């Protein structure tokens, strides 16, 4: 029996993301703008296949070829004739839907591999019975042979994403280890090159290691090209090693992204949007992160657009080293009613920021008021869809020029709807309250997390010319009571300095800000919660966080002692902090469930949230910020990794509790997204049902003009790098 965490259950939740009404309210120009941006996002999202695992692209192409010839309903007859039961055929559809929804065969949330929940010989029989196989037997046979082994393999290293012997990654060639990643980061820093849009390949050159840093770009040339004064490409010696910087990663895909961004430019609403798209296009054409940063600056200035979007190599959660971005592109329409509430929160930010538990000097000199809007997603291409986003991720821009926050309203509406019978680890009397207030409390938490969490706190920096952005003779470290003695220098960034823990540590800091500030009545009143209702929102927000900390254990791998998901590690850390606070604030006990199997029960004493709870978060949050501000990696790591430790000793046996969490876990929902289609002068929205078949159809109809060429390009890109993963 395969452990259930390695396949997706047949009854997995699949919901259609509803944006019909929001889309219908757009003007013809806005619809065309949204359409072409969506095209750019969907094509760019294909790069995620190549960023996830060696086999993802080939599995994707195989599925596309099968389902372009036959719809799921038509294929079912062939499946039955090939000897598959209806449950086995459903398992195949769920696997295919999962591959599309995660853009690869590893879960976007948790980075665990998933395999089809049916025997390999049954899947092979289905592939061979398909119309695609009948039409092109040699090509389909070759495709099946190239991916059928890894498709089912659950060798230890292949169970999760990771670097070296800890897992699979295609951000680095298979012979790279942590030391190689560290050396490459130093090299990139020395050249003032960002790692966001790169991958690293190590080769043996006559017994000497040499490294190739590959930039994502449509242009293949490594010399200076139009729009660039001098090339960043070439060969360099660094610490007695040879480094070559080359262009052309995901070339054909990046070309498509650039083409559709150019098409979108014609329908831009203003000059900021036009210039933003021009810089993005330059970034994807030349492989320039500087151009992407420039585009992001115009994006920040584009306040309150009706159609909001962002695209690029953005989140670094899945790079095992923590500094390379996964491709992501979204297009969404503003939800005006919800956005008004967020606008009030933005207006209150300057009053709320001084409430945070660190000295004034540790806060930014001026709060850069961001756009904060609630959006209904039309398109979200990448490995998964979050509930809220704070971007850009470039800390130098966030610190001094600004950022935007978005909450994805139609994602929140379906992602966190929970059935009572599936609610685990809570007391019966808490369950109805949880179901009633989870949505409203999460809206408050997302708002505070994105705006005042990620948007707060200062980094102390000494630039290349020796100039400080703080008075190093006067600023006192509140933890040591001594003057601040460390800071960021030159091109050092938060990501490059804190590397492997940066993402999770920052998510933890933002979650703590949310817990801390939701205790303020004025915050709750902004969201329309007063009196007893406000107290319920606070209680459920804190209870959700404590429960999420326990659920987080699903995303811990005991064999490698590593966490596979930044947010869930952050929530586990918070659970540990609140348990450590004592005084009966949080209870966590192991019990036996009604089914006779191990279970657990979480309790939270609501009378102690404003005292014991608040004090614990206050102390911990101050420490997190001080280590972050002062670039104290050693102190930050010791604190964060200490609380992240999962062991079987102490007051709670977390390793045993992990087994209970796995036993009772519910699979994360998948979303079906609409397509847009130009019909004459207008744009149509093509919607699909919320099912595995609907999700599959949305993908097979997503690239109607050039599906065959696109599939050939993906296979060619994959084949080129195949030797690098061995």
């Amino acid at each position: 029996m395969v452990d259930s965490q390695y396949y997706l259950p047949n009854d997995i939740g699949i919901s259609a993301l509803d944006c019909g009404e929001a889309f219908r309210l757009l003007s013809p120009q806005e619809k065309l703008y949204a359409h072409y941006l969506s095209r750019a996002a969907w094509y760019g999202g294909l790069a995620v296949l190549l960023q996830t695992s060696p086999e993802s692209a080939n599995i994707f192409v195989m599925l596309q070829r099968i389902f372009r010839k036959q719809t799921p309903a038509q294929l079912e007859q062939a499946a039955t004739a090939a000897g598959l039961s209806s449950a086995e055929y459903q398992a195949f559809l769920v696997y295919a839907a999962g591959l599309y929804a995660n853009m690869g065969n590893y879960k976007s949330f948790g980075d665990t591999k998933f395999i089809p929940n049916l025997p390999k010989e049954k899947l092979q029989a289905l592939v061979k019975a398909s119309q695609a196989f009948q039409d092109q037997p040699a090509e389909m046979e070759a495709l099946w042979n190239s991916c059928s082994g890894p498709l089912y393999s659950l060798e230890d290293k292949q169970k999760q994403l990771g670097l070296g012997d800890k897992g699979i990654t295609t951000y680095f060639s298979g012979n790279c280890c942590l030391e190689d990643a560290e050396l490459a980061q130093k090299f990139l820093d020395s050249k003032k090159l960002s790692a966001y849009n790169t991958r690293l390949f190590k080769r043996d050159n006559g017994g000497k290691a040499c490294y190739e840093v590959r930039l994502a770009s449509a242009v293949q040339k490594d010399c200076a090209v139009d729009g660039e004064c001098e090339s960043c490409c070439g060969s360099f010696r660094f610490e007695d090693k040879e480094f070559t910087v080359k262009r052309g990663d995901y070339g054909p895909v990046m070309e498509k992204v650039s083409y559709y961004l150019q098409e979108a430019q014609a329908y831009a609403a203003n000059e900021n949007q036009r210039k933003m798209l021009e810089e993005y296009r330059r970034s994807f054409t030349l492989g320039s992160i500087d151009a992407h940063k420039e585009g992001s600056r115009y994006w920040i200035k584009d306040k309150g657009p009706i159609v909001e979007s962002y695209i690029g190599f953005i989140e670094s959660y899945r790079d095992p080293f923590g500094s390379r971005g996964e491709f992501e592109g979204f297009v969404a329409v503003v939800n005006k009613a919800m956005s008004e509430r967020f606008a009030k929160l933005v207006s209150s930010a300057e009053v709320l920021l001084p409430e945070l538990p660190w000295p004034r000097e540790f806060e930014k000199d001026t709060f850069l008021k961001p756009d904060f809007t609630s959006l209904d997603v039309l398109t979200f291409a990448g490995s998964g869809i979050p509930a809220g986003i704070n971007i850009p991720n470039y800390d130098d821009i966030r610190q001094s020029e600004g950022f935007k926050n978005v909450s994805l309203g139609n994602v929140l509406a379906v992602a966190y709807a929970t059935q009572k019978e599936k609610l685990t680890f809570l007391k019966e009397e808490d369950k109805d309250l949880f179901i009633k207030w989870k949505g409203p409390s999460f809206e408050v938490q997302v708002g505070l997390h994105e705006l005042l969490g990620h948007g707060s706190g200062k980094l102390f920096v000494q630039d290349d010319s020796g100039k400080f952005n703080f008075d190093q003779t006067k600023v006192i470290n509140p933890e040591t009571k001594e003057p601040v003695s460390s800071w960021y220098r030159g091109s050092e960034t938060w990501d490059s300095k804190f590397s492997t823990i940066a993402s999770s540590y920052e998510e933890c800091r933002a979650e703590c800000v949310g817990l801390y500030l939701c205790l303020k009545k004025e915050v709750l009143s902004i969201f329309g919660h007063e009196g007893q209702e406000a107290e319920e929102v606070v209680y459920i927000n804190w209870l959700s966080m404590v429960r999420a900390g326990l659920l987080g254990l699903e995303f811990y791998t005991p064999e490698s002692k590593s966490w596979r998901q930044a947010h869930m590690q952050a929530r586990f850390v918070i659970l540990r902090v609140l348990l450590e606070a004592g005084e009966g604030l949080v209870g966590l006990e192991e019990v036996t469930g009604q089914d006779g199997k191990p279970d657990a029960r979480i309790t939270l004493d609501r009378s102690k949230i404003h005292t014991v709870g608040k004090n614990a978060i206050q102390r911990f949050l101050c420490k997190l910020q001080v280590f972050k501000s002062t670039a104290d990696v050693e102190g930050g790591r010791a604190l964060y990794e200490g609380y992240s430790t999962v062991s079987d000793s102490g007051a709670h046996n977390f390793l045993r509790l992990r087994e209970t969490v796995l036993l009772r876990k519910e699979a994360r929902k998948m979303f079906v997204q609409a397509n847009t289609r130009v019909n004459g002068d207008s744009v149509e929205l093509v919607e699909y049902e919320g099912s595995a078949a609907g999700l599959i159809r949305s993908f097979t109809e997503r690239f109607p003009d050039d599906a065959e060429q696109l599939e050939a390009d993906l296979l060619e890109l994959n084949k080129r790098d195949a030797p690098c993963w061995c």
Side-chain angles (χ1 to χ4, degrees):
M1 276 291 291
V2 171
D3 186 327
S4 68
Q5 70 171 316
Y6 297 113
Y7 60 76
L8 306 173
N10 277 9
D11 64 350
I12 191 169
I14 302 177
S15 300
L17 265 192
D18 179 22
C19 63
E21 190 187 352
F23 188 76
R24 276 189 288 278
L25 294 172
L26 295 178
S27 70
Q29 179 184 339
E30 288 161 351
K31 284 180 181 174
L32 283 159
Y33 182 65
H35 167 73
Y36 287 114
L37 285 176
S38 292
R39 302 311 297 147
W42 285 126
Y43 278 100
L46 296 170
V48 177
L49 294 163
L50 301 162
Q51 291 183 295
T52 300
S53 72
E55 64 275 8
S56 286
N58 285 17
I59 302 171
F60 175 86
V61 171
M62 182 174 75
L63 293 172
Q64 287 288 82
R65 289 188 175 171
I66 289 170
F67 288 116
R68 278 198 296 109
K69 293 282 186 186
Q70 289 166 291
T71 65
Q74 290 166 340
L75 185 65
E76 187 165 13
Q77 296 166 352
T80 306
L84 276 74
S85 68
S86 61
E88 286 169 336
Y89 184 62
Q90 180 62 20
F92 167 63
L93 292 184
V94 165
Y95 176 78
L99 187 111
Y100 288 131
N102 292 281
M103 265 289 115
N105 58 340
Y106 286 76
K107 293 176 191 171
S108 67
F109 201 85
D111 295 342
T112 314
K113 187 171 188 176
F114 58 95
I115 66 170
N117 190 19
L118 71 159
K120 186 175 178 179
E121 58 274 15
K122 289 286 184 85
L123 179 52
Q124 183 171 9
L126 173 58
V127 170
K128 293 197 167 178
S130 70
Q131 190 60 50
F133 198 95
Q134 308 307 311
D135 292 353
Q136 293 183 300
E139 287 93 329
M140 289 298 288
E141 180 91 52
L143 207 42
W144 170 256
N145 290 340
S146 73
C147 63
S148 57
L151 195 148
Y152 272 94
S153 170
L154 281 176
E155 290 175 26
D156 282 348
K157 183 178 170 174
Q158 293 185 319
K159 285 179 177 174
Q160 67 283 311
L161 299 178
L163 185 56
D165 57 3
K166 291 202 168 167
I168 287 293
T169 180
T170 48
Y171 286 103
F172 298 88
S173 55
N175 54 357
C176 282
C177 60
L178 188 59
E179 286 74 22
D180 296 308
E182 285 168 345
L183 177 67
Q185 187 63 56
K186 282 193 208 162
F187 164 73
L188 290 168
D189 287 345
S190 77
K191 291 284 164 203
K192 293 193 166 42
L193 270 176
S194 167
Y196 268 118
N197 65 341
T198 69
R199 293 197 289 170
L200 185 70
F201 297 85
K202 178 181 172 184
R203 294 196 171 84
D204 181 34
N205 186 5
K208 276 196 142 183
C210 59
Y211 298 90
E212 178 187 309
V213 174
R214 202 186 291 164
L215 309 175
S217 72
V219 165
Q220 306 284 327
K221 291 179 186 170
D222 292 328
C223 54
V225 290
D226 285 350
E228 194 181 42
C229 49
E230 59 178 87
S231 178
C232 55
C233 302
S235 292
F236 310 90
R237 299 290 298 173
F238 182 78
E239 294 196 2
D240 204 31
K241 295 279 189 299
E242 188 186 325
F243 276 84
T244 308
V245 181
K246 294 189 124 175
R247 282 201 180 93
D249 217 1
Y250 329 115
V253 171
M254 293 297 104
E255 203 171 314
K256 284 286 189 185
V257 176
S258 299
Y259 169 78
Y260 282 112
L261 289 175
Q262 186 166 13
E263 294 293 293
Q265 263 182 294
Y267 304 100
N270 55 52
E271 198 56 22
N272 277 326
Q273 284 182 2
R274 271 187 289 279
K275 286 180 171 166
M276 162 188 95
L277 294 177
E278 187 54 47
E279 291 297 337
Y280 288 166
R281 212 160 62 76
R282 209 158 70 81
S283 171
F284 301 129
T285 303
L286 303 177
S288 164
I289 289 294
D290 285 342
H292 194 267
K293 283 174 130 175
E294 203 53 39
S296 299
R297 291 184 172 101
Y298 287 117
W299 178 71
I300 294 164
K301 290 174 191 164
D302 183 30
K303 300 284 185 194
I306 303 297
V307 176
E308 182 60 283
S309 71
Y310 196 65
I311 189 167
F313 293 88
I314 297 170
E315 301 294 355
S316 55
Y317 303 126
R318 292 180 106 185
D319 168 15
F321 189 67
S323 58
R324 284 154 192 79
E326 184 174 67
F327 194 93
E328 185 178 283
F330 77 83
V331 184
V333 183
V334 171
N335 176 322
K336 289 182 178 164
M338 186 83 80
S339 296
E340 275 174 34
R341 296 211 275 278
F342 288 138
K344 284 184 190 162
L345 189 61
V346 172
S347 303
S348 311
E350 284 160 44
V351 181
L352 294 170
L353 281 168
E355 300 286 337
L356 290 170
W358 47 77
R360 175 73 196 86
E361 296 82 6
F362 284 71
E363 192 46 72
K364 291 173 187 167
D365 302 332
T366 51
F367 178 68
L368 300 153
K369 277 194 178 176
D371 243 15
F372 199 157
T373 45
S374 176
L375 307 172
D376 284 342
V377 169
L378 167 66
T379 294
F380 206 111
S383 65
I385 310 182
I389 320 168
N390 171 287
I391 30 184
N393 281 347
Y394 307 117
D395 252 325
D396 50 343
I397 294 181
R398 270 218 295 239
Q399 289 278 319
S400 55
E401 296 173 60
F403 54 93
K404 283 189 193 181
N405 288 279
V406 295
S407 171
L408 305 177
N410 58 343
V411 176
L412 281 171
V414 291
Y416 297 97
T418 311
Q419 296 163 295
K420 189 172 178 179
E421 57 273 19
K422 289 188 173 180
L423 255 188
T424 51
F425 311 131
L426 294 178
K427 295 186 301 184
E428 277 307 310
E429 57 266 38
D430 278 337
K431 287 184 179 179
D432 289 325
L433 269 182
F434 192 93
I435 286 167
K436 183 176 180 183
W437 296 108
K438 176 73 173 90
S441 73
F442 197 68
E443 182 188 306
V444 172
Q445 181 68 12
V446 166
L448 294 171
H449 171 114
E450 300 295 352
L451 172 70
L452 298 167
H454 292 314
S456 65
K458 177 172 179 168
L459 301 185
F460 296 143
V461 180
Q462 180 184 18
D463 67 21
D464 285 332
S465 65
K467 192 176 161 208
F468 289 88
N469 71 342
F470 68 106
D471 187 339
Q472 79 276 20
T473 62
K474 290 186 181 162
V475 177
I476 300 297
N477 180 325
E479 294 298 312
T480 63
K481 308 290 187 273
E482 302 282 331
V484 163
S485 58
S486 56
W487 46 82
Y488 298 85
R489 295 165 196 272
S491 58
E492 287 179 343
T493 65
W494 161 250
D495 279 334
S496 71
K497 200 89 173 124
F498 280 71
S499 68
T500 53
I501 65 162
S503 289
S504 184
Y505 186 111
E506 174 58 14
E507 292 306 332
C508 187
R509 194 182 69 86
E511 292 284 43
C512 287
V513 167
L515 286 182
Y516 188 71
L517 288 179
C518 82
L519 301 176
K520 304 206 73 59
K521 283 183 177 156
E522 56 266 45
V523 167
L524 295 160
S525 137
I526 287 168
F527 287 90
H529 307 303
E530 307 280 353
Q532 185 54 36
E533 188 181 293
E535 284 307 308
E536 302 293 17
V537 168
V538 168
Y539 176 58
I540 294 305
N541 194 32
W542 278 62
L543 183 63
S544 295
M545 188 63 70
V546 170
R547 178 175 179 262
L550 179 60
L551 296 178
L553 286 166
E554 177 191 337
F555 303 94
Y556 176 75
T557 305
E559 294 78 12
S560 57
K561 294 187 168 57
S562 62
W563 284 89
R564 306 185 312 275
Q565 215 294 320
H567 299 79
M568 297 314 270
Q569 179 182 357
R571 291 159 188 162
F572 176 75
V573 165
I574 292 169
L575 168 64
R576 292 280 311 274
V577 168
L578 295 177
L579 282 167
E580 186 183 85
E583 297 186 52
L585 171 70
V586 171
L588 170 56
E589 58 173 334
E590 296 184 62
V591 296
T592 301
Q594 289 179 331
D595 56 4
K597 294 175 181 173
D599 206 340
R601 198 70 66 245
I602 280 275
T603 54
L604 173 68
D605 185 338
R606 63 160 71 206
S607 70
K608 291 177 177 163
I609 293 174
H610 285 269
T611 52
V612 182
K614 182 184 177 184
N615 290 340
I617 291 294
Q618 186 170 11
R619 287 191 302 272
F620 182 61
L621 187 47
C622 186
K623 286 191 173 99
L624 287 176
Q625 184 57 49
V626 168
F627 290 136
K628 182 181 179 185
S629 290
T630 59
D632 184 351
V633 181
E634 207 175 304
R637 270 193 185 279
L639 175 76
Y640 200 68
E641 289 174 349
Y643 280 112
S644 299
T645 303
V646 177
S647 76
D648 54 5
S649 58
H652 300 96
N653 185 335
F654 286 116
L655 281 174
R656 191 167 62 220
L657 278 163
R658 178 181 172 273
E659 296 301 317
T660 304
V661 168
L662 286 174
L663 177 71
R664 301 192 175 275
K665 73 184 176 68
E666 184 186 356
R668 196 171 170 82
K669 276 187 181 160
M670 298 195 284
F671 299 114
V672 183
Q673 298 182 63
N675 284 320
T676 52
R677 206 166 42 203
V678 175
N679 188 356
D681 297 335
S682 62
V683 181
E684 291 175 352
L685 189 71
V686 186
E687 296 175 281
Y688 303 88
E689 66 176 34
S691 66
L695 207 163
I696 290 163
R697 284 197 61 196
S698 72
F699 265 91
T700 48
E701 294 177 12
R702 196 144 274 158
F703 308 102
D705 307 327
D706 57 353
E708 289 184 14
Q709 183 58 53
L710 196 60
E711 289 159 16
D713 287 340
L714 284 171
L715 292 178
E716 185 53 42
L717 287 168
N718 215 32
K719 185 178 164 191
R720 178 182 74 169
D721 291 332
C724 301
W725 317 127
C726 304

